[in-house]
Amino acid sequence: MAKVHVFDHPLIQHKLTYIRDKRTGSKEFRELVEEVAMLMAYEVTRDLPLEEAEVETPVGPAKTKVLAGKKLGVVPILRAGLGMVNGVLKLIPAAKVGHIGLYRDPETLQPVEYYCKLPTDVPERDLIVIDPMLATGGSAAAAITFLKEKGAKNIKLMCLIAAPEGIRTVQEAHPDVDIYAAAVDEKLNDHGYIVPGLGDAGDRLFGTK
Ligand code: PRP
Ligand code: URA
């Protein structure tokens, strides 16, 4: 069964408090989501392979290490996943970015796909799927299924807030996909919103509604 990694880093927890706060406006919300995504990316990439290297410092030769050149891809689920892209790219700028457009039908809560553009070499890349909210898990599970159909073999899911229901859905559908979250909340309400969560991530990021 895939693991769930919950980040207890003080900076992540501090920033998440202000992301949750309903008084936080779109500008600050966007900045905080980007910052938390960057901090989370630091942990999510902890197992990247390294190889030996050598450089000349001003004092002499140094045996060091560099990334072994593993190909990475970041796949935001539109729209709210976009808010996390720049934070991740600050740490791994060479990653290619694919986009999967999904929205939840407000009545059925089922994901509806409306856009997809992925790097051509998906089967060779380790992918990080990003979306701030893992609620019923329908959107993330559908996105991961889609990536596997395109040949992806190594996928991680990174979200800010997960509900127990969403974790269960993804674990059952994709037991090979580890989930990384800044918090696991209590439950979903009758409209499929995470309680206490942060509200509608897309609307808060982009100032819609
Ligand atoms: C939100 C969120 C996830 C999805 C999570 O997107 O960003 O993609 O809901 O819910 P689920 O786990 O129950 O599928 P939404 O459908 O509101 O679209 P948006 O990002 O375009 O606002
Ligand atoms: N999508 C959101 O944006 N927020 C939730 O709480 C659940 C789904």
Side-chain angles (χ1 to χ4, degrees):
M1 182 62 75
K3 286 201 197 105
V4 182
H5 308 258
V6 183
F7 297 122
D8 57 0
H9 193 289
L11 287 176
I12 293 178
Q13 293 306 313
H14 176 84
K15 288 173 192 292
L16 186 60
T17 298
Y18 292 94
I19 288 173
R20 288 183 188 276
D21 191 333
K22 67 180 184 186
R23 295 169 301 182
T24 300
S26 284
K27 175 178 180 288
E28 200 187 345
F29 187 89
R30 270 196 297 273
E31 289 166 356
L32 288 163
V33 168
E34 184 174 321
E35 287 167 16
V36 170
M38 184 177 72
L39 293 167
M40 290 181 75
Y42 176 78
E43 284 297 333
V44 172
T45 51
R46 185 172 277 286
D47 59 355
L48 282 181
L50 291 169
E51 63 189 20
E52 306 293 330
E54 208 171 310
V55 290
E56 285 286 328
T57 79
V59 182
K63 288 196 184 304
T64 58
K65 294 185 193 299
V66 291
L67 290 171
K70 194 149 197 53
K71 287 178 159 187
L72 295 175
V74 184
V75 183
I77 301 178
L78 306 182
R79 158 188 73 133
L82 287 176
M84 299 171 76
V85 173
N86 285 344
V88 177
L89 288 181
K90 277 193 176 144
L91 288 196
I92 39 174
K96 292 268 201 302
V97 184
H99 295 84
I100 296 182
L102 291 174
Y103 70 88
R104 269 195 339 177
D105 182 291
E107 301 297 325
T108 65
L109 300 184
Q110 291 306 303
V112 182
E113 187 189 324
Y114 61 89
Y115 184 77
C116 181
K117 182 79 182 171
L118 299 171
T120 49
D121 55 356
V122 155
E124 291 144 49
R125 291 188 180 269
D126 285 0
L127 300 178
I128 308 171
V129 174
I130 54 176
D131 191 327
M133 309 308 278
L134 180 63
T136 65
S139 304
I144 294 166
T145 299
F146 191 72
L147 291 171
K148 287 182 175 174
E149 284 167 2
K150 298 282 175 196
K153 291 174 202 74
N154 198 344
I155 302 173
K156 293 175 176 173
L157 172 64
M158 182 172 127
C159 54
L160 295 188
I161 302 180
E165 295 89 331
I167 291 173
R168 256 194 318 274
T169 299
V170 171
Q171 281 184 325
E172 279 167 17
H174 302 292
D176 56 315
V177 174
D178 276 6
I179 300 169
Y180 297 79
V184 177
D185 276 8
E186 193 188 327
K187 59 178 183 184
L188 299 179
N189 68 14
D190 293 344
H191 304 289
Y193 276 82
I194 299 177
V195 181
L198 54 72
D200 189 302
D203 284 345
R204 293 195 63 190
L205 274 167
F206 299 111
T208 47
K209 198 148 194 117

